Amino acid sequence: HVVRTLLKLGHHQQAADAYLGDLALALLFNLNAYAEVLCLLKPFFPHGWGELPKEVAAKASSYLATCAAMALGSCGELAAALAAHGAALQADLKAEDWINATTDVGNISHNLILQNRLAQSLRIDFLALEVATLMENKVDVFMGRLFLFADHSRMGQWAEAAATWSLLDPMGRAWSRAAYRPGRAELYYAQFHFWQGSLQEEHLAEAESLAARGKDRTTIRNLHRLRGDWRLTQGEWALAAASYQEAVRLARDTRSVIDAGSETGLALAMHHLGQLANPREEAERLAQLRDPAHRLLAQLWLAIGDAEKAKNHALASYKWAWADGEPYVRRYELTQTTELLRQMNVPIPNLPPYDPAKDEKLPWEDEVHAAIEKLRAEKEAEKRKAD
């Protein structure tokens, strides 16, 4: 109410001051109130999310854009989110605010993952880590390594992921909540084990305990979904359904998040339990969700007995898991979908490998490279002076 009133009075800087900090963090991470965030921030961006507010100081303007971008991305508005992240990054680069610029680059990497642009995401991970290393900023080095670990794990680059984890894990977790939410590293570590088939209860229990203390709703929801996925692979339908049900509840409570994976996993588990009232109707509904969980939908249609629809969703899952092409693929999903297609006697699609020529630079990528060169030159000059 304070923010809205100040905006109506035209006091944009005061409204920004009231929004920044604890309120912003609580709305985004404790409550996942993404629709509320966008409603509050929209008056700051009359010309679109990709153009920073001019009525507030540059640093606050960049912060507001980052908050908007995170909410937009969580609502599935990925192109608008990327534009807002890019605007924040360019402002921080101009101001030579290297710490926030590093955060911006990390956020952009996450956005690219959501867009299934894995090759670009991995390239951006290395840029973020390079800036953080040059700045000798420990929290940004930790976050850079964490994003890199997550992406290596997702692509099945196990040796690289393990090497990165051995560097980041000893760094501890005592970081500002503005930069790191408790339990996120342990979530990624649990995923790393799940995707390799080595997940244990202790991995999930530790992550869940830390996430609960940190009150990060997204991490908590992702852990419930991961536990559901794990139980599903074991044929533990009731346990899987219980975990998926909690993940679905946490998503629906926000009124702006659709957790298609948990919704579909829940339907599949309930069907195996004989508790899904109208399986075909539910499967049709799930297929209409934004970003359907195609592999689980294929399994659901297969269990229902509709081989043709199962085939269509399995092929869609394979294409999505292929992403940019080898080696930039979602390894676990690709492996699971390949096995499903073979089970159904469907030929494995012959998709093209990664083509570097089609991987265009992002609009601000040259600016980040220029910033890195400037930082490196400054460091070398300082070293020569000290010598």
Side-chain angles (χ1 to χ4, degrees):
H1 288 303
V2 169
V3 173
R4 288 196 185 102
T5 302
L6 289 167
L7 284 169
K8 287 178 181 178
L9 291 170
H11 300 318
H12 286 75
Q13 183 61 58
Q14 288 175 275
D17 292 340
Y19 180 80
L20 304 181
D22 289 343
L23 175 59
L25 293 176
L27 288 173
L28 280 171
F29 304 122
N30 291 64
L31 302 176
N32 289 169
Y34 304 125
E36 186 79 357
V37 168
L38 295 175
C39 183
L40 275 174
L41 297 185
K42 184 63 177 174
F44 288 105
F45 297 86
H47 304 296
W49 299 110
E51 187 171 333
L52 295 184
K54 295 181 174 60
E55 298 86 357
V56 300
K59 191 163 186 173
S61 180
S62 172
Y63 189 109
L64 292 172
T66 298
C67 291
M70 295 178 78
L72 286 163
S74 297
C75 292
E77 300 293 335
L78 299 178
L82 186 58
H85 278 312
L89 173 60
Q90 288 176 311
D92 290 332
L93 288 172
K94 183 178 180 181
E96 297 189 357
D97 184 347
W98 308 124
I99 292 176
N100 280 321
T102 306
T103 301
D104 297 330
V105 175
N107 288 331
I108 288 169
S109 171
H110 179 67
N111 177 281
L112 294 170
I113 285 293
L114 296 177
Q115 294 193 51
N116 219 23
R117 295 156 67 176
L118 305 193
Q120 286 182 326
S121 176
L122 191 61
R123 189 170 73 242
I124 299 308
D125 284 341
F126 282 112
L127 286 180
L129 185 54
E130 190 167 4
V131 176
T133 302
L134 286 168
M135 287 297 298
E136 299 178 4
N137 186 294
K138 290 184 178 180
V139 64
D140 286 334
V141 169
F142 174 84
M143 293 303 297
R145 288 172 175 169
L146 183 59
F147 288 140
L148 191 60
F149 169 74
D151 282 351
H152 279 317
S153 300
R154 186 175 291 106
M155 297 177 206
Q157 298 172 2
W158 309 123
E160 293 88 341
T164 303
W165 181 261
S166 70
L167 294 173
L168 76 88
D169 188 37
M171 296 180 72
R173 307 290 185 269
W175 312 114
S176 162
R177 192 167 183 270
Y180 173 75
R181 261 68 66 190
R184 180 179 291 190
E186 286 67 31
L187 165 64
Y188 292 165
Y189 191 60
Q191 288 175 331
F192 167 76
H193 280 285
F194 173 69
W195 290 333
Q196 293 181 88
S198 57
L199 181 64
Q200 300 294 323
E201 173 61 32
E202 62 198 52
H203 297 132
L204 288 170
E206 181 181 9
E208 287 169 342
S209 174
L210 291 168
R213 290 205 295 271
K215 297 182 174 62
D216 180 13
R217 196 180 183 93
T218 301
T219 300
I220 293 169
R221 176 167 54 82
N222 287 337
L223 281 162
H224 282 298
R225 183 173 66 235
L226 179 59
R227 183 181 284 279
D229 292 341
W230 184 44
R231 292 304 189 187
L232 202 69
T233 62
Q234 299 170 326
E236 298 281 359
W237 312 122
L239 293 174
S243 293
Y244 284 134
Q245 185 68 64
E246 185 60 15
V248 168
R249 183 191 69 78
L250 289 168
R252 289 180 177 177
D253 281 353
T254 69
R255 300 188 300 278
S256 56
V257 175
I258 299 172
D259 189 339
S262 294
E263 296 251 5
T264 310
L266 176 61
L268 181 57
M270 290 182 68
H271 180 67
H272 280 289
L273 291 167
Q275 298 174 2
L276 196 60
N278 299 295
R280 297 187 68 88
E281 183 179 318
E282 180 64 2
E284 294 287 5
R285 181 188 75 82
L286 292 166
Q288 300 305 313
L289 295 179
R290 184 184 71 224
D291 300 325
H294 288 294
R295 180 173 59 83
L296 292 175
L297 265 173
Q299 291 177 260
L300 179 56
W301 279 117
L302 201 59
I304 291 170
D306 194 324
E308 187 61 26
K309 288 187 176 178
K311 171 186 171 181
N312 292 338
H313 283 291
L315 289 172
S317 174
Y318 190 93
K319 183 178 179 181
W320 174 75
W322 189 255
D324 291 319
E326 292 285 4
Y328 305 107
V329 300
R330 294 177 181 266
R331 183 64 58 196
Y332 174 80
E333 288 297 328
L334 191 65
T335 301
Q336 293 297 309
T337 306
T338 299
E339 291 177 4
L340 181 60
L341 287 168
R342 285 175 177 156
Q343 176 189 338
M344 297 164 57
N345 293 317
V346 176
I348 307 301
N350 183 22
L351 300 180
Y354 169 67
D355 183 358
K358 295 181 179 178
D359 190 356
E360 297 180 0
K361 281 186 179 180
L362 292 157
W364 38 260
E365 208 165 332
D366 285 338
E367 295 176 55
V368 177
H369 280 290
I372 288 171
E373 290 307 314
K374 181 176 181 179
L375 282 169
R376 185 177 288 115
E378 290 175 354
K379 290 291 180 183
E380 290 173 355
E382 288 175 7
K383 185 176 183 302
R384 285 195 298 270
K385 186 177 179 180
D387 290 344

